[in-house]
C-alpha cells in the first residue's frame, strides 16, 4: 500500500517594491578606497598639505605668532590624537607664510581657531588659503619648523607688477617646494629649530615678502571664513524630479 502524499503549502510573500527597484549590490566609493589603501599602508588618516599666507599687525612681537600656533596645536591635538602637525612657519616683518601638514580634521580645526578671533583685534589678519594638496604620499617636513625673518630682504624689482597671478603663484609654489626639499635633506629629525638666519643661508629659496603681501590682498583666494562655509555646506542637492508627484520609478 502506498501512502498518498499531499503537496505542502508554502506561503509566498510578495517581495518589497524597494528590492525590485534597487539592485541589492554592495557599493563602495572613492573615499572607502583611499581609506583602505591607507589602512594597508599602516596609516591612520589621509595626509594633506595646506599653504596659508597672512598679514601681521604692526608692533606685534614675532615670537607671539609662534607661541600662538604652538598653544593652538597642543589644544587641538588633545582631540586629534596621533595626527601631528608638521610644516614651516616663516614670520616676515609684516607678513607670514605657513605650510601645514596633517589630517583634514586637524587642519580645519586650526582654521576654526583662527576664526574664533575674528571679532577682536587679533595680531594675524588678511589670511588667505593659497592651496591645499590632498592625500599627499608622505610628509615633506619631519616636524614643525619656525623661522623669524628679522632682516628685510631687498629685491631689485617687484615681480608682482609685471607678472600675471598665475606666474606669481608658480614662483611662490616653486620657492616653497625648493625650500621644503632643502630642509628635508639638511635638517635632522629632533632639531630644536631652524634659527633666524635663513635669509642669510638660503636667500634664493625664500619666497619674497612682496609676493606674500600680494597674495594676502588677492581676491582670487578664499579666506578661512569663506573656505569653512563652503566646506560645511551640504553637498546633497535636491533635484526637481525628486519633489514632483507622482514619484518617478527607477529601473
Amino acid at each position: 500500500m502506498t501512502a498518498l502524499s499531499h503537496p505542502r503549502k508554502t506561503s509566498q510573500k510578495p517581495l518589497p517594491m524597494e528590492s525590485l527597484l534597487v539592485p541589492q549590490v554592495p557599493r563602495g566609493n572613492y573615499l572607502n578606497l583611499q581609506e583602505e589603501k591607507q589602512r594597508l599602508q599602516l596609516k591612520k588618516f589621509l595626509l594633506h598639505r595646506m599653504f596659508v599666507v597672512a598679514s601681521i599687525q604692526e608692533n606685534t612681537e614675532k615670537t607671539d605668532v609662534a607661541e600662538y600656533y604652538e598653544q593652538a596645536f597642543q589644544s587641538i591635538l588633545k582631540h586629534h590624537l596621533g595626527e601631528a602637525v608638521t610644516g614651516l612657519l616663516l614670520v616676515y616683518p609684516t607678513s607670514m607664510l605657513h605650510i601645514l601638514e596633517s589630517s583634514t580634521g586637524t587642519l580645519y580645526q586650526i582654521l576654526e581657531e583662527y576664526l574664533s578671533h575674528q571679532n577682536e583685534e587679533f595680531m594675524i589678519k588678511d589670511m588667505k588659503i593659497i592651496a591645499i594638496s590632498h592625500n599627499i604620499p608622505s610628509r615633506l617636513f619631519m616636524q614643525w619648523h619656525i623661522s623669524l625673518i628679522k632682516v628685510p630682504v631687498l629685491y631689485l624689482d617687484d615681480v608682482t607688477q609685471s607678472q600675471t597671478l598665475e606666474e606669481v603663484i608658480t614662483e611662490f609654489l616653486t620657492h616653497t617646494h625648493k625650500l621644503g626639499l632643502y630642509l628635508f635633506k639638511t635638517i635632522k629629525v629632533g632639531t630644536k629649530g631652524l634659527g633666524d638666519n635663513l635669509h642669510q643661508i638660503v636667500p634664493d629659496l625664500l619666497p619674497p615678502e612682496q609676493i606674500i603681501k600680494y597674495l594676502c590682498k588677492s581676491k582670487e583666494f578664499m579666506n578661512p571664513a569663506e573656505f569653512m562655509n563652503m566646506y560645511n555646506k551640504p553637498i546633497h542637492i535636491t533635484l526637481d524630479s525628486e519633489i514632483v508627484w507622482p514619484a518617478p520609478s527607477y529601473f
Side-chain angles (χ1 to χ4, degrees), residues 222-236:
M222 290 186 178
N223 58 43
E226 295 170 336
F227 180 83
M228 294 304 298
N229 181 59
M230 181 187 69
Y231 174 76
N232 293 322
K233 185 179 298 183
I235 62 175
H236 177 72

Side-chain angles (χ1 to χ4, degrees), residues 107-222:
L107 293 180
Y108 293 167
Q109 284 296 318
I110 293 173
L111 295 179
E112 290 284 6
E113 164 62 27
Y114 168 77
L115 290 175
S116 66
H117 299 278
Q118 290 302 287
N119 296 327
E120 59 187 71
E121 191 70 17
F122 193 50
M123 58 185 169
I124 302 174
K125 60 180 183 178
D126 301 330
M127 181 177 288
K128 292 294 179 64
I129 300 171
I130 305 304
I132 298 180
S133 301
H134 295 284
N135 192 20
I136 57 178
S138 60
R139 296 179 186 267
L140 183 59
F141 304 92
M142 294 298 100
Q143 60 192 65
W144 189 64
H145 302 286
I146 307 169
S147 183
L148 308 181
I149 312 301
K150 297 181 178 179
V151 180
V153 183
L154 301 178
Y155 305 99
L156 297 179
D157 57 348
D158 186 355
V159 296
T160 62
Q161 299 296 325
S162 58
Q163 294 181 344
T164 64
L165 178 62
E166 290 75 12
E167 292 172 333
V168 173
I169 286 296
T170 300
E171 181 174 347
F172 169 80
L173 294 177
T174 299
H175 276 92
T176 54
H177 182 68
K178 290 182 178 180
L179 180 60
L181 288 177
Y182 167 81
L183 298 177
F184 180 81
K185 295 177 181 179
T186 58
I187 304 300
K188 297 181 180 180
V189 178
T191 303
K192 292 184 178 181
L194 294 178
D196 298 334
N197 58 345
L198 276 181
H199 57 279
Q200 297 175 348
I201 301 176
V202 285
D204 296 336
L205 300 184
L206 289 177
E209 187 180 20
Q210 60 190 6
I211 289 183
I212 297 176
K213 296 172 66 174
Y214 171 80
L215 296 177
C216 291
K217 299 178 181 179
S218 179
K219 297 181 179 179
E220 283 76 9
F221 301 102
M222 290 186 178

Side-chain angles (χ1 to χ4, degrees), residues 3-21:
L4 296 177
S5 60
H6 298 281
R8 181 175 300 174
K9 295 182 180 180
T10 58
S11 60
Q12 296 182 350
K13 296 181 179 180
L15 295 175
M17 183 60 67
E18 291 80 7
S19 63
L20 297 177
L21 299 180

